[in-house]
């Protein structure tokens, strides 16, 4: 699905005007009259961001934010409010909102916030995809190769790995070459980054003295 | 000769008897007088009221124990002294008291006056005096009699209540302004947002190559700018009237409820409405801004009293209860008025909703804003007899 800006606002004129503005700026737009309506249709594969009104009858903007978080839907949110109160802003930003804008917002400011939200979503998706790919490739490694990855990602030298696993230095070298080919990685730095991204190790150990 | 002597003796006896009778009669009269005097003294001694009697030269004739307590001087010390020499009066109030004295000496009776006595230790007592005069047989003023009540504490309590009432009225005006501004902000910012976005959409089309004449583009830019200008004004108005950050702390909800009822007590008395309490004394502290919650309770109780009197009822009852409900403290205000019509239980909290002839309809809207800002809930029950509830989170 093309990245889309989902406008959620109970005011029909505001919905229509925002949709026109976003479409004129070349963005794909879909509008919803309530948080409930959005929640009903929303699917995990939806890409883009939400332009969300704060005060709506029924489900409020922050309530929708909470409901989406509970469903692990991570579409970035730009809040628009007709009358903002400090606690609402703080709460929304803490819960991961990209921006909190006061209505009426200047066109360039609004478009800038929306584009930033779209970028955040795109980057997150790319990261997720890369992670998924590496995870998939990790699945093709043998058990011994995984042991080597876990140690190599922590910055251990081939000699140390050989000693720790009780195998020869040469065997470690062969495992390492095969791992880099299977995971399609070029440097040991990339290996560490991939291992951290996939949750294989928490953080790399600090470099050792000597 | 003997007859004469007997006659004289007889007359002497008669005279003696008569004298004896007279002495006894006088004795009885004196006893009666003394008893009367002792009775009066006992009354003066035990009265809480101050009683001071002056002669026309302002010398103290009578100075009862209540006077001793309020002045620090003993009656023996005061007796015979000029009242002005005791130094009981505040310099600023001297002229006023002098005038009262002269009016009484000129024969005016029943002169009411309030002034302070400064006691020996410098303590100030506000005394409400009711003064009069006593005339002698010739109709001249023989004594000036002052009866006073020490109203220092009563007045302090009244002042405190008046200040609280004024504070609450001030808050009410501020909250009304703030509520209005929030409503205006919401109602105006929506169309302003639409105008600004429509204009910006035109500008986007223009910059994307739509063939629009230059002067139209410039004009649309101005539309967008004007919408933003109006928005800045509306949002500025809202910031100006916004409720300043409120301080919440642990408060005794029952004490707040009782305190709020003191403020509306005069209104309740006028409307012959009894205020009853059913407070759960085991209730622990709630987390709130005392003045705001007091404001909410005052609003609800005042509404209840007005509902009773505007229904033409000559008396009634308002009942306040507190209890624990679902982990929150709950306050309920019920009244013996006509209650809320079905279908209006939600509407009563909307701004400008009112059933009062002279009401603006902001009271309950403000209550809802305040209670929701505390993380509580407020609602009404339709049906006979008004019934409002609100909840507050407990402290800790």
């Amino acid at each position: 699905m093309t990245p889309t800006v989902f406008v959620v606002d109970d005011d029909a004129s505001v919905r229509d005007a925002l949709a026109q503005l976003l479409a004129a700026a070349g963005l794909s737009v879909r509008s919803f009259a309530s948080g409930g309506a959005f929640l009903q249709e929303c699917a995990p594969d939806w890409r883009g961001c939400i332009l969300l009104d704060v005060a709506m009858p029924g489900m409020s903007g922050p309530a929708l934010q909470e409901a989406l978080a509970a469903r692990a839907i991570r579409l970035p949110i730009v809040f628009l409010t007709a009358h903002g109160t400090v606690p609402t802003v703080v709460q929304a930003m803490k819960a991961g909102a990209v921006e909190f804008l006061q209505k009426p917002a200047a066109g360039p400011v609004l478009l800038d916030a929306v584009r930033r939200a779209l970028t955040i979503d795109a980057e997150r998706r790319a990261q997720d995809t890369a992670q998924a790919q590496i995870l998939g490739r990790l699945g093709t490694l043998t058990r011994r190769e995984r042991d080597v990855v876990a140690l190599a990602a922590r910055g251990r030298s081939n000699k140390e790995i050989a000693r720790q696993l009780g195998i020869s230095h040469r065997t470690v070298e062969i495992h390492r070459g095969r791992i880099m080919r299977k995971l399609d990685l070029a440097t040991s730095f990339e290996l560490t980054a991939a291992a951290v991204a996939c949750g294989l190790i928490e953080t790399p150990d600090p470099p050792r003295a000597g | 000769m003997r007859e004469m002597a007997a006659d004289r003796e007889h007359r002497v006896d008669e005279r003696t008897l008569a004298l004896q009778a007279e002495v006894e009669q006088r004795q009885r009269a004196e006893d009666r007088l003394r008893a009367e005097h002792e009775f009066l003294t006992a009354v003066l001694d035990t009265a809480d009221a101050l009683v001071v009697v002056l002669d026309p030269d302002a010398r103290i004739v009578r100075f009862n124990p209540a006077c001793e307590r309020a002045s620090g001087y003993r009656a023996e010390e005061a007796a015979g002294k000029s009242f002005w020499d005791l130094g009981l009066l505040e310099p600023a109030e001297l002229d006023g008291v002098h005038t009262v004295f002269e009016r009484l000496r000129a024969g005016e009776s029943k002169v009411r006056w309030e002034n302070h006595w400064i006691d020996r230790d410098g303590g100030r007592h506000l005394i409400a005096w009711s003064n009069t005069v006593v005339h002698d047989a010739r109709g001249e003023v023989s004594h000036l009699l002052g009866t006073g009540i020490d109203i220092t504490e009563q007045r302090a309590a009244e002042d405190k209540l008046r200040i609280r009432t004024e504070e609450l009225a001030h808050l009410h005006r501020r909250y009304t302004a703030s509520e209005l501004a929030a409503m205006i902000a919401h109602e105006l910012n929506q169309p302003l947002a639409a105008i600004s976005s429509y204009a910006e959409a035109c500008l986007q089309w223009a910059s994307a190559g739509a063939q629009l004449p230059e002067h139209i583009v410039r004009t649309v830019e101005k539309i967008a700018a004007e919408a933003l200008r109006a928005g800045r004004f509306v949002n500025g108005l809202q910031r100006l009237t916004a409720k300043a950050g409120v301080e919440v702390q642990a408060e005794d909800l029952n004490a707040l409820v009782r305190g709020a009822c003191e403020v509306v007590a005069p209104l309740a008395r006028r409307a012959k409405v009894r205020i009853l309490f059913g407070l759960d004394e085991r209730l622990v502290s709630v987390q709130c801004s005392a003045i705001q919650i007091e404001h909410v309770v005052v609003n609800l109780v005042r509404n209840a009293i007005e509902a009773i009197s505007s229904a033409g009822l000559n008396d009634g009852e308002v009942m306040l209860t507190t209890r624990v409900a679902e982990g929150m403290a709950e306050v309920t205000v019920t009244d013996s008025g006509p209650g809320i019509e079905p279908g209006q239980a939600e509407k009563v909290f909307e701004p400008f909703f009112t059933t009062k002839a002279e009401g603006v309809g902001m009271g309950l809207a403000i209550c809802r804003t305040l209670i929701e800002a505390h993380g509580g809930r407020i609602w009404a029950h339709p049906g006979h007899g008004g019934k409002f509830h609100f909840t507050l989170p407990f402290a800790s």
Side-chain angles (χ1 to χ4, degrees), chain A residues 9-11 13-14 16-18 20-21 24-25 53 55 82-83 102-108 111, chain B residues 182 185-186 189-198 200-201 204-205 208 227-228 231 235 238-239:
Chain A
D9 199 309
D10 62 306
D11 189 303
S13 302
V14 173
D16 183 53
L18 287 174
Q20 284 211 19
L21 169 59
D53 188 26
H83 59 289
Q102 179 97 43
K103 286 181 188 173
L111 290 175
Chain B
H186 190 258
N189 277 338
Q190 295 288 56
L192 286 174
I195 292 169
S196 134
S197 299
Y198 281 132
E200 293 285 354
Q204 286 292 326
W205 286 321
L228 292 183
N235 292 327
Q238 203 200 343
R239 266 194 298 280

Side-chain angles (χ1 to χ4, degrees), chain B residues 87-350:
Chain B
L88 289 173
L89 300 173
E90 266 191 335
E93 294 178 345
L94 259 177
D95 283 352
V97 180
H98 266 293
T99 309
V100 170
F101 183 81
E102 291 307 329
R103 279 165 64 188
L104 288 164
R105 205 156 63 159
E108 197 177 328
S109 60
K110 290 193 183 147
V111 182
R112 292 185 185 280
W113 197 256
E114 276 182 19
N115 62 272
H116 289 88
W117 269 19
I118 313 296
D119 67 28
R120 256 186 171 163
D121 301 326
R124 296 172 87 240
H125 303 262
L126 179 61
I127 297 162
W129 292 102
S130 176
N131 303 302
T132 189
V133 288
V134 181
H135 298 274
D136 61 15
R138 286 167 307 165
E140 301 282 327
V141 171
S142 66
H143 292 100
L144 294 82
L145 170 67
T147 322
I149 299 168
D150 189 333
I151 56 168
T152 314
E153 282 173 22
Q154 183 194 336
R155 181 59 53 86
E158 282 169 8
D159 284 351
K160 215 172 117 189
L161 193 62
R162 206 187 57 241
I163 289 167
R164 254 218 338 268
T165 308
E166 278 167 12
E167 256 174 26
L168 285 170
H170 172 73
L171 267 188
H172 185 72
R173 285 191 295 275
R174 254 187 56 203
Y175 291 160
T176 302
S178 158
E179 198 70 27
L180 268 174
M183 205 183 71
I184 291 171
H186 190 258
E187 294 305 317
L188 280 186
N189 277 338
Q190 295 288 56
L192 286 174
I195 292 169
S196 134
S197 299
Y198 281 132
E200 293 285 354
C202 292
L203 296 174
Q204 286 292 326
W205 286 321
S207 69
Q211 291 305 307
L212 287 179
E214 184 64 17
H215 65 280
I216 292 186
V217 172
R218 294 286 88 84
T219 306
V220 172
E221 275 175 358
K222 285 174 189 164
I223 293 175
E226 288 301 305
L228 292 183
R229 186 163 76 97
R232 276 196 300 277
F233 172 76
V234 170
N235 292 327
L237 185 70
Q238 203 200 343
R239 266 194 298 280
L240 205 69
T241 57
K243 291 173 276 291
V246 292
E247 298 205 354
V248 293
Q249 56 183 36
E251 300 281 356
D252 176 350
L253 184 59
N254 290 336
L256 286 183
V257 167
R258 284 197 198 92
C261 288
E262 278 174 29
V263 174
V264 283
L267 184 68
R269 274 196 297 273
R270 268 202 301 282
K272 296 200 178 65
V273 169
R274 278 183 308 279
I275 297 183
L276 310 172
F277 297 99
L279 307 179
D280 181 349
E281 298 298 340
R282 294 161 305 172
L283 215 60
V284 294
S285 302
V286 292
Q287 189 73 8
C288 72
S289 148
I291 187 98
Q292 291 193 345
I293 296 313
E294 200 173 17
H295 184 260
V296 171
V297 176
V298 165
N299 253 284
L300 293 178
V301 176
R302 184 177 287 148
N303 279 350
I305 294 170
E306 286 173 359
I308 292 169
S309 27
S310 64
L313 301 168
N314 289 327
D315 59 6
E317 282 176 2
V318 175
M319 175 93 180
L320 291 106
T321 53
T322 54
R323 64 172 191 138
V324 181
E326 291 164 24
M328 304 275 274
E330 184 181 308
V331 177
T332 303
V333 180
T334 45
D335 66 67
S336 56
I340 298 165
E341 285 172 31
Q344 294 206 323
E346 254 306 306
K347 283 208 188 98
V348 294
F349 293 103
E350 286 171 11

Side-chain angles (χ1 to χ4, degrees), chain B residues 318-392:
Chain B
V318 175
M319 175 93 180
L320 291 106
T321 53
T322 54
R323 64 172 191 138
V324 181
E326 291 164 24
M328 304 275 274
E330 184 181 308
V331 177
T332 303
V333 180
T334 45
D335 66 67
S336 56
I340 298 165
E341 285 172 31
Q344 294 206 323
E346 254 306 306
K347 283 208 188 98
V348 294
F349 293 103
E350 286 171 11
F352 300 122
F353 179 92
T354 186
T355 56
K356 300 179 202 165
E358 313 212 322
V360 180
M362 293 309 277
L364 287 175
I366 292 167
C367 287
R368 182 169 64 179
T369 303
L370 294 180
I371 293 297
E372 286 179 356
H374 277 83
R377 209 161 68 81
I378 185 166
W379 70 101
H381 269 300
H384 190 73
K387 198 167 191 183
F388 285 82
H389 307 264
F390 70 84
T391 58
L392 285 173

